[in-house]
Amino acid sequence: MRASFVSILLACAVCAVCAACAGAPSNDPATSLDADAAESLDVPTYDARAADLPHAPDTLDADADADAGLADQTTLPESVEADPGPPPSDVQPTDAPPEDLGPSDTTPDLDAQPPSKAPVIILMICDGMGKAHVDLVSTYATGGPGGLAMHGLAHHGEMATASFSGITDSAAAATATATGTLTLNGRIAMDRDDAPLETVLETAMALGMPAGLVTTSALQHATPAAFSAHRLSRQQYLDIADDQALVVRPTVMLGGGAVFALPAGPDSVRDDDGLIAPLEAEGYTVLTPGDALVAPATAPQKLVGYFAPEHLDYVLDATPEGGQPTLSHMTEVALAALDGGDGFFLMVEGARVDMASHGNDLERMVGELLAFDDAVASVLAWAQGRPEVTVLITADHETGGLDVVAPAAKGTLPEVTWATKVHTNRRVHVFGQGPGSEVFDGAILDHRWVHAVARSRLTSQPLEVPGPILVPDGRLSDLAYVAAEQTVETGFGGA
């Protein structure tokens, strides 16, 4: 009887080990800032189901994605027809460009000529923002759904968010977005074979364009890090800070994380001379907590702002005495610093919707999402009359399993339920306007498509359609497995 349970308990042990690793706190004081790093599993889990195969229904279903898990699939827009090809077990990725079906009244032409001016790509990521988050905040702020600034963009689709580790963390999601490659949770612009991946920010800079990052988290946190560093663990904050300041060197970096940049002392976790002097030697204006953020008179301008020791304060907790800039203000200054006429890439992250949702803190979540939407409004105002600008807005994943029990009046927080305090695989929104963004309209895609559109715009090359990807299940070296024996007699199955 004991032997009959060994194989079952073996599988259970795998899950238990992975769950334990996901929740294990770090003993490194330099990692204390990371509210969501417990989900960057050191021991990834795999599933043999297809995460991204183009065989889903043809229309968006508002209810079909609840706890969809790795079965989330990709629905291509009409203008990007995919050949179903062989059965899923035989499917290989393909870089073939989309079939040109010609223009129609409902399907934009992906081969339409881009504007003659240098391309501008502005990617806005609201960490943890699920569809219920958006509907709730829109109703709270405007009295009904569809009332936020982000709803004003021309195109709307959805994103499946699974990573090679199953339910994604911010590092894997941002890596897929920044590089077009799925990877394991916790990895920063590195693939599952430990190889570094070129990010879209690095692509822009290699082409001679300025590029920038704006976030309400520490700049070394997972999402901005995945655009500007290459590390096997998102918790390598000092190494990530070094990559950003000494290697990749984005033109503009605005956010928190001063403790990882200042020289050794009471306000730093470093044991060296820090990163301020090397940045200034490269021509950067460097701001630290308490410094005022002012838009430069000319562009491009090298600008770094570490405005908080770690993350910026929640909007509801911020005070004028704190001197921290808002996400909207940082975004406006970044636009001014980057806009020198040669095109640019900018990633803007509203990081703390995720952190509030980890704590099931509805009030702070609402404040952070409204602040993110204010930044969206600033971007849309700046982009008005600029046909060369592509704006994409999405989330890396949903956090908390939020559902509204009953709607409430404008200005009133509704009754809600939270299914969890961690991430889910619920689909998230993607909104877009400008050249290339039409590919998302009415489609269910994944984060690799954001990279594909951004790279196509930056390089003026045809869109490279991401191929179907199977979640791998064949590497025992990727699995932590422990044999377990049943030690309690159950009587199940007879003597």
Side-chain angles (χ1 to χ4, degrees):
M1 178 57 218
R2 291 159 59 96
S4 66
F5 278 84
V6 169
S7 59
I8 296 175
L9 293 176
L10 172 62
C12 295
V14 174
C15 298
V17 170
C18 295
C21 290
S26 170
N27 294 322
D28 183 353
T31 67
S32 61
L33 72 96
D34 202 344
D36 123 310
E39 298 177 44
S40 62
L41 311 184
D42 292 330
V43 184
T45 58
Y46 287 88
D47 194 298
R49 291 171 288 174
D52 301 301
L53 295 178
H55 300 300
D58 293 331
T59 58
L60 302 182
D61 183 344
D63 300 317
D65 66 327
D67 297 321
L70 289 179
D72 266 349
Q73 297 174 331
T74 302
T75 300
L76 302 178
E78 293 180 13
S79 53
V80 187
E81 291 289 347
D83 183 352
S89 60
D90 298 324
V91 172
Q92 298 296 324
T94 177
D95 293 327
E99 179 184 356
D100 180 11
L101 301 182
S104 71
D105 292 337
T106 58
T107 302
D109 180 8
L110 293 182
D111 292 329
Q113 292 298 312
S116 58
K117 291 186 177 180
V120 171
I121 296 90
I122 304 172
L123 170 61
M124 306 188 73
I125 299 172
C126 191
D127 200 320
M129 181 183 73
K131 294 189 292 182
H133 293 68
V134 174
D135 288 346
L136 184 155
V137 172
S138 178
T139 301
Y140 174 84
T142 71
L148 298 178
M150 68 183 77
H151 289 112
L153 276 69
H155 305 297
H156 172 223
E158 293 182 3
M159 289 286 201
T161 64
S163 76
F164 277 160
S165 296
I167 294 177
T168 194
D169 76 334
S170 296
T175 294
T177 304
T179 72
T181 301
L182 296 179
T183 192
L184 303 172
N185 285 359
R187 301 211 169 184
I188 298 296
M190 301 282 281
D191 70 14
R192 67 192 296 259
D193 295 311
D194 303 345
L197 301 163
E198 181 179 282
T199 73
V200 66
L201 181 145
E202 292 173 310
T203 299
M205 298 187 72
L207 293 170
M209 301 179 192
L213 302 169
V214 174
T215 181
T216 53
S217 73
L219 281 161
Q220 305 81 10
H221 205 238
T223 299
F227 288 83
S228 55
H230 301 274
R231 294 291 163 177
L232 289 175
S233 172
R234 60 183 286 171
Q235 297 186 23
Q236 295 175 256
Y237 296 116
L238 293 175
D239 294 327
I240 290 168
D242 289 351
D243 281 358
Q244 292 174 329
L246 305 177
V247 181
V248 179
R249 288 180 177 150
T251 315
V252 173
M253 295 189 290
L254 302 176
V259 296
F260 304 107
L262 294 173
D267 297 323
S268 175
V269 297
R270 302 186 69 95
D271 59 4
D272 57 18
D273 292 334
L275 302 174
I276 308 304
L279 283 166
E280 290 176 339
E282 289 294 323
Y284 285 86
T285 298
V286 183
L287 305 175
T288 55
D291 291 340
L293 176 62
V294 180
T298 60
Q301 288 291 325
K302 294 181 177 180
L303 178 61
V304 174
Y306 300 110
F307 298 111
E310 296 181 1
H311 304 312
L312 273 65
D313 293 335
Y314 283 114
V315 170
L316 292 186
D317 301 329
T319 63
E321 295 77 19
Q324 295 180 3
T326 64
L327 180 61
S328 181
H329 181 49
M330 289 192 293
T331 301
E332 292 166 359
V333 170
L335 292 170
L338 294 169
D339 186 20
D342 296 324
F344 63 83
F345 171 82
L346 174 63
M347 191 285 294
V348 178
E349 182 199 21
R352 305 214 68 181
V353 166
D354 172 70
M355 299 176 195
S357 297
H358 274 293
N360 294 171
D361 188 335
L362 184 63
E363 187 176 14
R364 282 174 175 76
M365 182 281 288
V366 170
E368 295 304 308
L369 207 157
L370 286 172
F372 177 79
D373 200 56
D374 286 344
V376 171
S378 294
V379 166
L380 295 181
W382 180 88
Q384 189 171 5
R386 299 175 186 244
E388 73 277 14
V389 178
T390 297
V391 180
L392 300 175
I393 302 170
T394 190
D396 48 359
H397 53 74
E398 195 270 357
T399 302
L402 177 65
D403 287 302
V404 176
V405 175
K410 179 181 177 180
T412 302
L413 293 176
E415 180 183 354
V416 303
T417 60
W418 298 89
T420 182
K421 290 193 172 184
V422 295
H423 302 168
T424 74
N425 263 7
R426 293 183 179 187
R427 293 200 298 264
V428 298
H429 288 298
V430 57
F431 302 96
Q433 76 173 33
S437 65
E438 62 273 9
V439 73
F440 297 102
D441 208 18
I444 303 171
L445 302 175
D446 64 70
H447 291 113
R448 297 172 302 145
W449 286 76
V450 173
H451 173 268
V453 169
R455 183 176 177 82
S456 173
R457 291 281 291 117
L458 289 171
T459 62
S460 299
Q461 296 298 313
L463 181 74
E464 295 184 6
V465 176
I469 297 293
L470 290 178
V471 176
D473 64 338
R475 294 191 182 186
L476 286 179
S477 61
D478 289 330
L479 296 174
Y481 55 96
V482 177
E485 291 189 19
Q486 180 187 352
T487 58
V488 179
E489 295 294 337
T490 65
F492 178 77

